[in-house]
Amino acid sequence: MSTPALRSVHVHPVKAMRALTLPEAEVQPWGLAGDRRWTVVDAAGRVVTQRRHPRTALATAERLPGGGIVLSAPGRPPLTVEVPHPSATVTVDVFDKPVEAVPAGPDAAAWLSAFLEGDFRLVHMDAPEHRRPVDPVYALPGETVSFADAYPLLVTTTASLDALNSLIALGDRAEEGPLPMSRFRPNLVVEGTEPWAEDSWTRIGVGEVTFRVARASGRCVVTTTDQLTGARGKEPLRTLARHRQRDGRLVFGQNLVPEHPGTVRVGDAVKILD
């Protein structure tokens, strides 16, 4: 077995849109720099995810200096969106919790509404250091998160994906595999471990940054969504239900909270500290 190392780094500038793969990323207390600082909300102010809107997987947000983005999607012209001035915020619903955010302009709303065929708008998290706390059951005091589902970062391993794909190949939906890692939308992907080794991690170091392992990641219907087409199948949830149930959840990967800022780079050594 080789020494564990960081295989890839991914950020999602707009929650639910396609991931960007980077050679390195700054780790901030609430997640990787530029990761899920933007989100789409519907007419009721509810956060939009691929659970209800798998078409968002087809859209991409490229990052600009200063935090702005360029939106692109099939059939739509690119649109540059600058970070809105935080002169006023709106309350949005993030999984039944109120979170303050800054709305982008009407051009972004029109672009998203045309692409998603409804009434949608784009909002930005201006102050992640105090806008949204991590679940207090699994957090330390003062820990916050961006518009990510629940925790600042998600780590997965290539060995566990290989093991999962081997199980899918033995099942009655074998034609859906092998699945790519993009189905799980991680921030950090680690290679050089044993399958499912991450189940026992409680604290890890990646290059110059250390992380607390908060909780195994419970998986949902998003993992059944092809990130290139938006089409849905049954895997990996069918196989996870048979082999990876923990406390009533289907788990793959681990949620991380940074212990301090720093930078992670592809190729960094990954150390299991506890």
Side-chain angles (χ1 to χ4, degrees):
M1 179 61 61
S2 59
T3 302
L6 187 58
R7 170 74 171 270
S8 59
V9 177
H10 309 274
V11 299
H12 312 76
V14 178
K15 182 179 180 65
M17 291 189 183
R18 189 165 294 170
L20 304 180
T21 300
L22 306 175
E24 63 180 53
E26 178 188 354
V27 179
Q28 299 172 329
W30 41 83
L32 297 184
D35 187 59
R36 298 173 172 98
R37 288 289 296 275
W38 300 83
T39 193
V40 181
V41 295
D42 64 16
R46 295 172 300 194
V47 66
V48 167
T49 75
Q50 289 184 27
R51 294 169 179 84
R52 294 179 60 190
H53 299 279
R55 183 171 169 78
T56 53
L58 306 183
T60 300
E62 297 290 341
R63 301 189 303 167
L64 295 173
I69 54 175
V70 178
L71 297 174
S72 61
R76 301 297 305 162
L79 178 70
T80 298
V81 184
E82 301 293 346
V83 173
H85 190 274
S87 56
T89 63
V90 295
T91 302
V92 299
D93 181 339
V94 183
F95 307 127
D96 298 322
K97 299 290 185 181
V99 176
E100 294 300 305
V102 183
D107 288 349
W111 192 96
L112 288 165
S113 296
F115 174 61
L116 295 175
E117 301 177 346
D119 186 357
F120 298 94
R121 55 184 170 155
L122 185 67
V123 299
H124 180 257
M125 184 177 286
D126 62 320
E129 64 271 20
H130 60 76
R131 289 296 187 205
R132 185 178 174 224
V134 175
D135 183 346
V137 176
Y138 300 96
L140 298 179
E143 291 179 341
T144 62
V145 61
S146 65
F147 284 122
D149 274 7
Y151 299 90
L153 287 91
L154 172 67
V155 63
T156 59
T157 69
T158 57
S160 294
L161 179 63
D162 290 344
L164 178 61
N165 277 324
S166 294
L167 293 171
I168 291 172
L170 298 174
D172 53 8
R173 304 290 297 191
E175 71 279 0
E176 291 191 25
L179 301 181
M181 190 66 84
S182 61
R183 291 288 188 97
F184 300 94
R185 299 177 65 78
N187 296 112
L188 307 180
V189 179
V190 174
E191 62 184 358
T193 71
E194 295 287 346
W196 316 120
E198 64 273 23
D199 288 351
S200 64
W201 298 348
T202 59
R203 188 167 173 265
I204 65 172
V206 182
E208 63 188 41
V209 184
T210 56
F211 300 89
R212 180 173 64 82
V213 181
R215 193 186 191 197
S217 180
R219 309 318 304 226
C220 68
V221 70
V222 171
T223 59
T224 69
T225 307
D226 188 316
Q227 296 297 298
L228 298 179
T229 67
R232 283 208 170 126
K234 299 294 185 182
E235 294 292 0
L237 293 186
R238 179 173 294 208
T239 296
L240 290 175
R242 292 173 175 171
H243 300 279
R244 296 285 298 168
Q245 287 207 47
R246 304 289 187 275
D247 300 323
R249 301 180 310 137
L250 312 183
V251 300
F252 186 92
Q254 295 287 335
N255 293 298
L256 304 179
V257 179
E259 294 187 337
H260 57 84
T263 300
V264 293
R265 300 173 177 87
V266 171
D268 277 349
V270 175
K271 297 179 180 180
I272 314 309
L273 303 175
D274 292 305

